[in-house]
Amino acid sequence: MPYQYQQLPMNNLPSIPDVRLVGSVAVVGRPNSGKSSFVNTLIGEKVSIVSKRPQTTQRTTHGIYTTNDLQIVFLDTAGIHLGNDRWNEAVNRHAAKSLERASVILYFIDRSRPYGTEERNIRTILDKVDKPIIPVLTKCDLDKRLDDGNIPENAIEMSNVDKSGFESIIEAIRPHLETAPLLYDEDYYTDQDMYTRVSEVVREKLFRELDEELPYSVYVETQHIQDSPDGARLDILAYIYAERDSQKAIIIGKNASFLVKIGTAARRDLEEIFGRHVMLQLRVKTMPKWKKNDKIMEGLLE
């Protein structure tokens, strides 16, 4: 008896993977060279926290850029900087690890600052990397311009203000991508979990508001996120840890005024990110020498 073809129900058919040009790109450069602003502006969402202070970005953040023909996972790294204490060494080490995971490297060069030791350090690191490196000259909207012979001839000029150079950067990356299934659903723009996002937003507000070196002496840990009983909001509890009691007092402020200011600013961002009302509680504790605690450091940078 001949074989009889039976049509399978549609819901039993195997799913066909969405295949496009796919790859990962590490964004490296000195602190405050525009890396995080580029990723946020390109994707159109708040992926990485930003402030005027150097080293705001500490952990490598993934920003997912998807179009109808490609998906690029940008690895927004901490700025590679000078520093020989355990914390700075750990931050630089994790930034360097991102180079190993990437298919392509975007090397951001801040044209508003003179070439110096940090830049030479980065180039020494990149000289050892056997991967395509695309130099990008940032802050090209500024009048102050670096012109000292240290700029690569093939550098792409870029500005986060008007998005000039963005298309050129994507086109420079394109030849190094591979045809493969999407790494993430096309509506994803980051793979950060909610706890990390909350901690990073609170830390951003601390960096923007605290004076001098104090932001580098605090870290944030989100301990609790839960739906309210009626499902109308998210209830969040996060702790801010300082190294000394004097720092704790500054963070709290007179009559808790500073803590309220930080919490209000963070809540507004979180409500926009999560699309829901947020009840955010912030508490401040002292944890001496937390920068010497390897477990804490690794947890913050992973």
Side-chain angles (χ1 to χ4, degrees), residues 33-262:
S33 57
K35 301 182 300 298
S36 297
S37 294
F38 165 73
V39 174
N40 288 346
T41 304
L42 175 68
I43 294 174
E45 298 285 352
K46 190 181 186 68
V47 177
S48 300
I49 64 175
V50 178
S51 82
K52 294 180 180 180
R53 296 184 181 277
Q55 302 173 38
T56 304
T57 300
Q58 293 176 344
R59 70 175 77 227
T60 298
T61 303
H62 294 184
I64 304 164
Y65 176 71
T66 305
T67 68
N68 60 0
D69 69 333
L70 60 77
Q71 183 175 82
I72 303 172
V73 181
F74 287 95
L75 311 179
D76 180 16
T77 68
I80 298 174
H81 58 282
L82 302 177
N84 54 12
D85 63 23
R86 292 174 66 181
W87 173 248
N88 286 325
E89 288 176 353
V91 171
N92 284 339
R93 186 169 61 252
H94 277 263
K97 279 185 179 179
S98 297
L99 305 182
E100 302 173 6
R101 296 157 46 201
S103 308
V104 186
I105 297 167
L106 282 186
Y107 168 35
F108 273 30
I109 305 166
D110 183 351
R111 76 179 310 164
S112 70
R113 288 183 284 174
Y115 190 87
T117 304
E118 282 186 332
E119 206 74 65
R120 282 191 291 271
N121 183 39
I122 293 171
R123 294 197 181 187
T124 298
I125 293 172
L126 294 181
D127 284 343
K128 301 175 183 178
V129 177
D130 186 21
K131 293 182 181 180
I133 298 174
I134 301 171
V136 177
L137 201 58
T138 68
K139 303 183 183 179
C140 290
D141 53 288
L142 300 180
D143 291 334
K144 183 179 180 182
R145 300 192 173 184
L146 175 65
D147 185 15
D148 60 1
N150 287 301
I151 299 174
E153 291 184 3
N154 60 336
I156 299 172
E157 294 193 357
M158 183 272 284
S159 168
N160 287 317
V161 175
D162 59 10
K163 296 186 180 181
S164 62
F166 278 37
E167 184 176 344
S168 297
I169 291 172
I170 298 301
E171 291 308 306
I173 293 171
R174 184 183 294 273
H176 306 293
L177 304 177
E178 296 183 353
T179 302
L182 292 181
L183 299 173
Y184 297 93
D185 289 343
E186 61 180 10
D187 58 345
Y188 276 43
Y189 63 89
T190 185
D191 61 357
Q192 295 179 33
D193 61 57
M194 293 176 69
Y195 286 78
T196 299
R197 302 218 74 190
V198 171
S199 296
E200 287 290 277
V201 167
V202 173
R203 197 168 63 82
E204 177 188 66
K205 305 312 173 189
L206 290 166
F207 261 78
R208 289 188 174 186
E209 299 294 339
L210 289 172
D211 292 330
E212 302 303 327
E213 294 298 316
L214 188 53
Y216 303 102
S217 298
V218 301
Y219 79 91
V220 181
E221 181 182 39
T222 302
Q223 293 199 354
H224 177 80
I225 300 177
Q226 185 173 336
D227 290 313
S228 63
D230 60 2
R233 69 173 189 272
L234 286 175
D235 295 332
I236 301 174
L237 172 63
Y239 282 86
I240 301 170
Y241 292 95
E243 288 187 301
R244 299 190 296 272
D245 288 336
S246 59
Q247 295 169 345
K248 174 181 174 181
I250 293 172
I251 295 169
I252 294 174
K254 186 177 180 179
N255 298 322
S257 58
F258 191 83
L259 193 62
V260 170
K261 182 179 182 180
I262 294 297

Side-chain angles (χ1 to χ4, degrees), residues 5-25:
Y5 172 74
Q6 291 183 326
Q7 185 174 4
L8 293 173
M10 290 297 293
N11 58 3
N12 286 336
L13 289 175
S15 60
I16 300 175
D18 192 340
V19 176
R20 306 184 197 183
L21 292 173
V22 174
S24 57
V25 176

